[in-house]
Amino acid sequence: MMAKIPAPPSTTHLALPFFDDAHRALASELLPWCAAQEVDERDDRAACREWVRRLGDGGWLRYAVPGSAGGALERLDSRALVLLRETLGYHSPLADFAFAMQGLGSGAITLAGTPEQQSHYLTAVGKGEKIAAFALSEPDAGSDVAAMAMRAEAMPDGWRLNGEKTWISNGGIADFYCLFAKTDPAGGTRGITAFIVDATAAGLDTSGHIDVMAPHPLATLRFQDCIVPRAAQLGELNGGFKLAMRTLDIFRASVAAAALGMGRRALAEAIAHAKGRRMFGQTLADFQLTQAKLGEMAALIDSAALLTYRAAWMRDDAEQRGAPAVGDVSAAAAMAKMCATENASRVIDMALQMHGGLGVKVGTKIESLYRDIRSLRIYEGATEVQQLIIGKSVLRG
């Protein structure tokens, strides 16, 4: 069950000029909805399915698909995704995961799917009736996508898939996978094509579940002579790498937002603990050392928030104007992702230290946040990859 949730220290960030009234209304409706939810998360797979159902029933998954598929907005809106993931991450990192994977797992269909593909998959995703997954990583191809070994061989009536994907979120519970495979083995990143593979496809084995320190559904997918129809091709032949990167670019700032939500929750927990913990005749909050730590935590969160909101605004602004972005959107998203995940890790660590022994007690919120935040510094581009993206942007001027 979800523990008692302290109110966020402040919601003044909603007044920043990065957001408009529609975003503020979204946040004001989402906050009480999240606070009212109570899901038993001891079984991560069952809990993830339950969160998808609730998010669909609540209408929140409509922000993960475009208006043409029943979405809440005409197109995917980075600022809406940021506010949703920040708020969900504050309340339940698993709820954030469930929401995020509906968007990321179907994002390639939003960007490049045929009308038939979008109608069949996206509407169901937005209602929580189908669970989506994004299958890019392999045992020897994580950050180095060009090293992909998964093969898709053209056949008269479709494609034959052979290979392995791993670290796949929603693996084993997804209804379909947006999969990336080599169609030109000698083509490097220019030889990759995307496909939609239903979980029921013959030759697909999703039973290789992976247990991690902060439980959520992960699996290794094995394809052995898995046949999919011609219509399963997603986007252009050999255009899969660009499609994968475009999909990740949309959601990278939202990863920063999830970290931001977790960091805000750690700060709120630290404030509540400091005000209530008595020692040496006063509260922990009365000590100047505590005040200094809380001040540092607040500054780390706010600095990450500004980078996160800026990155989301830059992408949305360029999309709305149909014009080049004001600055390098990829670099801005990389800065947000790097700083927010690293800063939130520091904040959560300081909050745990402030809790003393309670901070490492299994079952406390701070202990679970300490485990939850760690993977965010790795997935969807590790911190080191973000540094490379930023460095190359700086050198280009």
Side-chain angles (χ1 to χ4, degrees), residues 38-273:
E38 193 168 308
V39 172
D40 187 339
E41 297 185 347
R42 288 174 293 183
D43 181 338
D44 60 313
R45 293 175 180 272
C48 193
R49 290 190 183 94
E50 176 64 14
W51 275 120
V52 169
R53 185 189 69 77
R54 292 193 186 200
L55 289 163
D57 290 347
W60 306 114
L61 291 180
R62 294 175 61 230
Y63 288 92
V65 298
S68 58
L73 302 170
E74 180 183 354
R75 56 174 64 91
L76 290 183
D77 184 278
S78 289
R79 288 168 295 171
L81 293 173
V82 158
L83 289 176
L84 276 153
R85 293 200 64 182
E86 180 179 341
T87 306
L88 290 169
Y90 182 94
H91 289 80
S92 164
L94 191 60
D96 162 68
F97 167 86
F99 173 84
M101 287 314 304
Q102 289 296 90
L104 180 64
S106 67
I109 302 176
T110 295
L111 291 173
T114 64
E116 292 76 18
Q117 289 170 336
Q118 293 184 350
S119 174
H120 182 72
Y121 291 100
L122 295 184
T123 302
V125 166
K127 293 180 178 179
E129 295 171 352
K130 283 185 183 290
I131 295 178
F134 183 81
L136 180 65
S137 295
E138 297 184 4
D140 296 314
S143 299
D144 182 9
V145 178
M148 182 181 295
M150 180 89 192
R151 290 289 307 276
E153 179 185 356
M155 302 180 67
D157 57 348
W159 296 90
R160 178 162 52 206
L161 305 173
N162 279 289
E164 191 172 293
K165 295 291 180 180
T166 195
W167 302 112
I168 306 306
S169 294
N170 278 348
I173 69 168
D175 293 292
F176 68 91
Y177 300 86
C178 283
L179 171 86
F180 298 83
K182 280 282 184 72
T183 40
D184 177 4
T189 57
R190 296 182 180 181
I192 297 171
T193 303
F195 300 89
I196 305 172
V197 182
D198 289 325
T200 55
L204 168 58
D205 178 5
T206 64
S207 64
H209 297 174
I210 302 171
D211 295 323
V212 288
M213 62 193 289
H216 68 263
L218 279 173
T220 294
L221 315 180
R222 295 181 175 87
F223 298 81
Q224 184 171 1
D225 293 331
C226 177
I227 307 298
V228 296
R230 281 282 174 180
Q233 181 179 323
L234 177 56
E236 297 179 358
L237 181 67
N238 296 326
F241 176 76
K242 287 184 178 179
L243 178 57
M245 295 305 106
R246 286 176 63 203
T247 305
L248 290 170
D249 268 350
I250 294 173
F251 290 93
R252 188 158 284 142
S254 77
V255 179
L260 191 58
M262 294 182 208
R264 287 195 193 281
R265 178 63 181 272
L267 176 58
E269 294 282 348
I271 291 170
H273 178 72

Side-chain angles (χ1 to χ4, degrees), residues 327-332 335 387-397:
D328 187 333
V329 173
S330 292
M335 286 184 185
Q387 291 170 335
L388 289 174
I389 293 170
I390 299 163
K392 289 178 180 177
S393 175
V394 169
L395 288 170
R396 285 196 301 269

